[in-house]
Amino acid sequence: MTLWPCLPARCGFGGDPSLGGRPLPAGRGEEGSVPTLPRPILALPGPQATLYGELIQASLHRLEAGSRALLWVRPLLLREGSQVWKLRATPDLLWPAAGFVPAYAEEILPLLEQARDPGPHEPSARQRLQGFLRQLWQG
C-alpha cells in the first residue's frame, strides 16, 4: 500500500504558500508510533509543463546575504500537456522557493490516475525532469 503525502483541500487551507521558513506541524501517528509529518504537495509551473513534488524541508536560513530561500522537494509527477509522467525514481531537488505554489487535492488526485512510467523507447523520467529544470533555469 502506498501512502501519499498530505494533500490539502482547496477550501479551508490556510497555510502560507511561501512557507516563510516555518517548520511543518507534527502529524498524528498511531498510538505508540513515532509521529509523522504531513508533507504538502507543491507545483512548479513551467512554460510547457508543471512539476509536482512533495515538500521535504524549507531552508530556515540563507547561505549568504541576498541568496534565495531553497526548498528540498521530492519529485512525484510531471505534467506535459495531456501526458503525466511518474517521477518517483528521480533524485530529490534543492530548488529556489520562488515559483512554487500549493497543489490541491482536486488538482493532483486525477493526475495520479493518469500518471505512467516512460516506455522503453521514450526519454526516461530522469531525462524528462532534467529537461524541465533546464527550461526553467534558462527562462
Side-chain angles (χ1 to χ4, degrees):
M1 179 169 123
T2 302
L3 297 176
W4 286 98
C6 175
L7 296 171
R10 186 174 301 276
C11 57
F13 178 72
D16 178 8
S18 67
L19 304 174
R22 295 187 314 244
L24 296 172
R28 295 185 186 109
E30 293 181 21
E31 193 170 335
S33 70
V34 177
T36 59
L37 295 176
R39 295 193 174 156
I41 304 297
L42 301 177
L44 181 59
Q48 299 173 355
T50 301
L51 172 68
Y52 295 90
E54 174 183 10
L55 175 66
I56 304 300
Q57 185 175 4
S59 65
L60 299 178
H61 63 278
R62 301 191 189 282
L63 299 176
E64 55 187 61
S67 67
R68 295 186 274 182
L70 296 176
L71 299 181
W72 173 9
V73 177
R74 181 158 296 142
L76 298 174
L77 303 171
L78 182 65
R79 186 184 70 206
E80 297 175 315
S82 63
Q83 297 291 317
V84 182
W85 307 100
K86 293 179 184 178
L87 298 180
R88 278 288 200 187
T90 61
D92 291 355
L93 301 174
L94 282 176
W95 197 260
F100 278 99
V101 295
Y104 298 101
E106 301 90 13
E107 179 182 2
I108 197 165
L109 290 176
L111 297 178
L112 292 172
E113 294 176 0
Q114 299 172 23
R116 67 180 186 88
D117 290 312
H121 302 293
E122 297 176 316
S124 70
R126 186 180 193 130
Q127 290 170 325
R128 289 183 186 283
L129 178 60
Q130 287 174 342
F132 172 79
L133 296 175
R134 194 174 304 115
Q135 283 181 350
L136 280 182
W137 197 257
Q138 293 172 351

